[in-house]
Structure formats: C-alpha cells, structure tokens
C-alpha cells in the first residue's frame, strides 16, 4: 500500500503521511559463539590448496580488510570445512536447517521478549536469507520452534542479498499499513539469517581452479537478527517504540546486474563482486537521500530540509570502501557511522542480517534523534529507511548480542564470546584516540594504526586491490590477541 492510501496522508504527491504510526518495538541479534581471525582462512587455504598467485593475492587482502574477527558457527577445525572436498549443497542445507534455524529462533525470542507481547498476536512474519533456498523455507521451521500458530502469514524474500534486512522491513511496513487501512492490529516479526562461513571451501575451490581474486571469502560471516514491527493499533505492551519508521525508498542502479550478486553453484553459492561497487554505491546514496527527505515533510525545520550530517547513519558495512565511500560522498564523520564501523570490525559482513545488528548497536549510545538506515544488494539495489529513535531505547536484554561461551579461546584464530566487550588490548601507537568502542580504539575516527601495511603490496598483490584507496590516516587496526597490526582496508565490496 502506498503512503497516500493511509488516512491523513497527501494523495498523489509521493509524500509520506505524518502519522504512519509504524515502529520497531523489539530487536534481537544472535551471533554464533565463534569469532575467527584472518589466520583462520590462511590455515584452511594452506591445508587444502597449493600455493598460487591468485591465492596469495586473496590471503594478502584477507589480512587487510579492516575486520578484526568474523562471527562463525565453528572454528577453523569445523568438520564440514575440513572434508577432502567442499561441502555439497545438501550438506550446506542440512547445516542451515540446524544452525540457521537455531540462531533465528534465538534472535526472534530476544525481539519478542523486548516487545513484551504474546506470540499469539504476531500477525505476519517476513523473513530473508541468501544462504539457503530450500522449500519449505527456513522460516517454516522457525515458526514451529517458536510455537507460533501455523496459520500466521509468512513471506520469505529471496534474491536480495545484503539488502535483505532492509527489504524485509520495507515489506513489513507495507503489510502493516494494509492492516492499518482495515483497522486491524499488525505485529510483524522481521527475520534475517545468514550462514556464510561454511562456503569458504567452495570459494577457495574457485580461487584455486580459476585463479580468480575473489574477495568475498575475506568478508562474510554468520548472524541472525530479528525485529517486531507494530502499527500501533491496540498496542499496550512493552515500553514503547525503539525506532519509528517515517519513510523509505527502494531503487535500482541501472545496468549493474553483473556487478554484485550471489550465483548458485553445485557447492553452494559464489559471491560476485566487481571493483565498481564502492563507487556506484557511494554515488547513488545522495540522490536517494534527497528524494527520501523530500518525501517526509515533517522532518523539515524552519523551512529547511535536513542535511545528511543531521542524522546518525546505520549503514550496512559491506566493506571498508563502502563505508568510507558513503562517508565521504555524504560529508559525514566516522561518529555518524560509529555503529557500522564497530559491527564491521568485530563481526564482519553478515549480509542481510547485519543492518538490524547495526541498528541494535546504534541505540546503545546517545546520538541524533533521527537515523538513516541504508544497504546495498544485488541489482544493484539500494534500500533506505528514515527512522526516529527514542533516546532511552537501549535495552539491557539486547546489549548482549550473542550467546557465546564465556570468552574461551580456541586455537587457530577462533574465540568464543558472550556478547560483552571483548577488547583484548587492541594496540594503538600514534595519534590520540577519540572514540573507543568495545575495546577497539579508533584514531581520528578510523581503526588506530601501528604503522603502514606493506606486506600485501611488497608481495606483488597490489593488482588485487584495483584502484581502491584504504582508510585514511594509515588506518591499520590491531590484533586483539597480541596487539600486532593486522588490517588495512583494501579492495572489499558489498
């Protein structure tokens, strides 16, 4: 339903009503218990693949992505990635049916508990994933385990990749507006889940066989996230909205279908990323933002439309060049994007599940009243939502993002965690730290440096970086375990 179909909206002018009465009333994020460092990929590569030029380039990039650790369902010794051959699509599906559903149920339970309502009042479920395509969809099994009635209206979105979490929220908003038009209450459970870590062997196979520089294997991680979206009718549960939805926009960047994707393969899915993505994405944000702001008259003050810097930004952290590209294109500071930087550094890119994690992180700190959420997906699709947050929206229940196992260290770069700040003495050598988030010291707004990164370039792998520019200010981050420099953002996309 279009905004003009809602009572008190302005018809046929493309503007949102001032009283949509849509809000997120519960959020839940569930990361798996392992955090793997860059050395995990090197360990697997050295175990099963011969040295090659392409592999050397990928492993160099892997050390300098700006990601400290990535969330994964297992450590480097997980049996599924240590078979003689890459896991089959059936093995991947069986694992998703177990681990993906488990993560999803936990994330949903967190969101439902914060909402405070009854599962019997959930009217719809909108789910998304790009790392499973079985029928029935994974949402069917999540509904069963949650104990939600089987007649609940379900929608499972596919083919939208990293923009999936945003697209699911947009779809839920339209469903809620339809219920509002009928005078019915809507409590819509939004769910995104991705299990990317076990695709590592399939990606390494392609690097070895085709001698391709495939950077996706360096970026992606595992996560489930959920939200409850309400249309406010009959609402008497919980403590009120976390974020109110004021408007949204979806658009496709023309002639970019070949730049960003996730191709089906007998051994799972293969990431498609080109060097054009950061530039294309950054260039598309400003026009989209301007159109969105114009469509929401209520945010104008003193007859002036707000600028990008008037908002906090929950940007999907697809890669360091995505974040810094948008930061520069929109004249933002790292403070505007602090939640995106932190999630990227600590957990990596969990595709569709990441954006709700960023929104969950953002509410833990004081900030601007209004928020722009933004993500990119295959198409290339751009999704943008303007939200207004409640200042006191931080929830102790959801400040712990995982159900890890008490910070027990595991060999080969895997660390379990309990969702608390796990800053293990991250090193900083130069400059004054102006932001500190969960142990990660930020220098001049970017990960603090222990010197310039030369290893990747001296190894002859600069071709793999294309024309990508790293973070400014010699921004290598530091390894939490020993304080050594470990990451300089380079050619990393979506």
């Amino acid at each position: 339903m279009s905004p003009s179909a809602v009572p008190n909206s302005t018809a046929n002018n493309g503007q949102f009503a001032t009283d949509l009465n849509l809000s997120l009333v519960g959020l839940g994020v569930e990361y798996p218990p392992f955090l793997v460092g860059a050395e995990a990929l090197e360990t697997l590569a050295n175990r099963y693949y011969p040295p090659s030029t392409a592999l050397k380039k990928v492993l160099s990039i892997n050390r300098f992505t700006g990601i400290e650790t990535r969330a994964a369902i297992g450590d480097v010794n997980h049996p599924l990635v240590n078979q003689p051959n890459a896991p089959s699509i059936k093995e991947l599906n069986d694992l998703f049916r177990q681990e993906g559903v488990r993560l999803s149920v936990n994330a949903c339970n967190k969101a439902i508990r914060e909402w405070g309502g009854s599962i019997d009042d959930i009217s719809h479920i909108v789910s998304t994933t790009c790392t499973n395509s079985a029928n029935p969809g994974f949402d069917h099994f999540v509904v069963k385990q949650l104990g939600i009635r089987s007649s609940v209206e379900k929608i499972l979105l596919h083919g939208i990749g990293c923009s999936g979490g945003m697209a699911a929220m947009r779809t839920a908003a339209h469903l809620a507006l339809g219920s509002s038009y009928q005078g019915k209450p809507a409590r819509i459970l939004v769910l995104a889940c991705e299990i990317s870590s076990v695709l590592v062997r399939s990606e390494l196979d392609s690097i070895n066989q085709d001698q391709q520089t495939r950077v996706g294997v360096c970026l992606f991680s595992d996560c489930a996230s959920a939200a409850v979206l309400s249309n406010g009718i009959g609402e008497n549960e919980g403590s009120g909205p976390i974020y109110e939805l004021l408007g949204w926009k979806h658009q496709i960047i023309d002639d970019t279908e070949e730049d960003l994707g996730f191709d089906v393969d007998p051994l799972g899915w293969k990431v498609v990323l080109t060097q054009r993505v950061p530039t294309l994405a950054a260039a598309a944000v400003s026009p989209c933002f301007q159109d969105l702001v114009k469509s929401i008259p209520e945010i104008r003050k003193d007859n002036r439309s707000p600028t990008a810097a008037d908002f906090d930004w929950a940007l999907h952290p697809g890669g360091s060049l995505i974040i810094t590209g948008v930061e520069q294109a929109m004249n933002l500071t790292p403070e505007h994007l602090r939640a995106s930087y932190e999630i990227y550094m600590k957990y990596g890119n969990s595709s569709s599940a990441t954006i709700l994690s960023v929104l969950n992180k953002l509410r833990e700190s004081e900030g601007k009243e209004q928020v722009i959420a933004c993500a990119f997906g295959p198409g290339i699709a751009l999704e943008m939502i303007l939200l207004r947050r409640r200042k006191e929206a931080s929830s102790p229940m959801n400040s712990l993002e995982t159900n890890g196992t008490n910070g027990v260290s595991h060999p080969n770069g895997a660390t379990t965690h309990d969702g608390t700040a796990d800053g293990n003495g991250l090193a900083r050598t130069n400059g004054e730290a102006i932001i500190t988030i969960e142990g990660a010291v930020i220098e001049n707004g970017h990960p603090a440096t222990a010197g310039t990164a030369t290893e990747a370039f001296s190894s002859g792998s600069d071709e793999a970086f294309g024309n990508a520019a790293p973070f400014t200010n010699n921004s290598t981050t530091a390894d939490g375990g020993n304080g050594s420099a470990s990451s300089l953002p380079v050619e990393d996309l979506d």
Side-chain angles (χ1 to χ4, degrees), residues 471-488:
F471 282 166
T472 57
N473 303 321
N474 285 334
S475 53
T476 55
T477 62
D479 183 273
N482 58 24
S484 61
S486 66
S487 49
L488 173 66

Side-chain angles (χ1 to χ4, degrees), residues 18 94 112 121 163 262 368 370 410 420 422 444 466:
T18 59
D94 290 345
I112 292 168
D121 294 330
S163 63
F262 206 41
K368 299 181 184 298
Q370 293 171 342
H410 286 257
T420 59
D422 66 345
N444 297 325

Side-chain angles (χ1 to χ4, degrees), residues 237-490:
E237 313 97 340
S239 57
I242 302 167
Y243 293 100
E244 299 174 52
L245 279 70
L246 304 185
W248 50 86
K249 186 172 178 62
H250 163 82
Q251 72 178 49
I252 297 293
I253 304 174
D254 292 337
D255 302 320
T256 59
E257 293 89 349
E258 303 300 319
D259 287 286
L260 180 58
F262 206 41
D263 287 350
V264 177
D265 185 87
L267 299 178
W269 295 264
K270 298 292 178 75
V271 177
V272 177
L273 298 167
T274 73
Q275 295 179 1
R276 299 202 313 155
V277 172
T279 301
L280 291 167
V285 171
S286 182
C288 185
F289 169 79
Q290 297 298 334
D291 288 347
L292 179 58
V293 167
K294 290 176 183 177
S295 72
I296 309 173
E298 68 175 285
I299 65 173
R300 292 177 60 88
K301 293 183 179 180
D302 300 324
N303 203 32
R304 182 187 71 87
S305 293
T307 67
D310 292 324
F311 300 86
D312 275 336
W313 283 67
L315 178 68
H316 169 71
S320 63
L321 294 182
I322 294 288
I323 306 174
T324 56
V326 171
E327 179 184 320
Q328 294 165 10
M330 302 305 292
N331 294 315
L332 302 174
T333 68
E335 175 65 17
H336 290 97
L337 294 156
R338 59 194 178 279
S340 298
Y341 276 118
E342 181 173 351
I343 294 301
Y344 178 72
M345 291 167 62
K346 185 173 181 180
Y347 299 112
N349 176 357
S350 303
S351 191
S352 69
T354 316
I355 193 64
L356 286 174
S357 178
V358 174
L359 284 170
N360 192 50
K361 176 60 63 177
L362 184 61
R363 66 167 167 155
E364 293 180 5
S365 60
E366 290 294 327
K368 299 181 184 298
E369 180 186 12
Q370 293 171 342
V371 175
I372 295 290
C374 180
F376 305 93
I380 293 174
L382 191 160
E383 299 279 354
M384 190 174 288
I385 299 177
L386 198 156
L387 308 105
R388 179 165 54 216
R389 67 173 178 171
R390 194 177 79 242
K391 289 293 186 179
E392 64 277 19
S394 178
S395 168
M397 179 185 305
N398 286 316
S399 63
L400 301 184
E401 293 165 318
T402 71
N403 277 350
T405 54
N406 303 317
V408 179
S409 294
H410 286 257
N412 299 313
T415 305
T416 62
H417 57 105
D418 60 3
T420 59
D422 66 345
N424 297 315
L426 297 180
R428 181 184 67 84
T429 60
N430 298 310
E432 181 180 359
I434 60 171
I435 307 172
T436 302
I437 40 181
E438 295 206 3
V441 180
I442 306 298
E443 175 187 340
N444 297 325
H446 296 298
T449 177
T452 58
T454 58
E455 181 178 358
F457 293 93
S458 63
S459 66
S461 63
D462 48 315
E463 178 186 346
F465 301 98
N467 295 319
F471 282 166
T472 57
N473 303 321
N474 285 334
S475 53
T476 55
T477 62
D479 183 273
N482 58 24
S484 61
S486 66
S487 49
L488 173 66
V490 288

Side-chain angles (χ1 to χ4, degrees), residues 204-221:
L204 287 171
D205 275 1
S206 292
I207 294 167
N208 178 56
Q209 294 167 10
D210 303 330
Q211 288 298 291
Q212 297 174 338
T213 304
R214 305 180 61 84
V215 299
V217 72
C218 308
L219 302 174
F220 289 97
S221 57

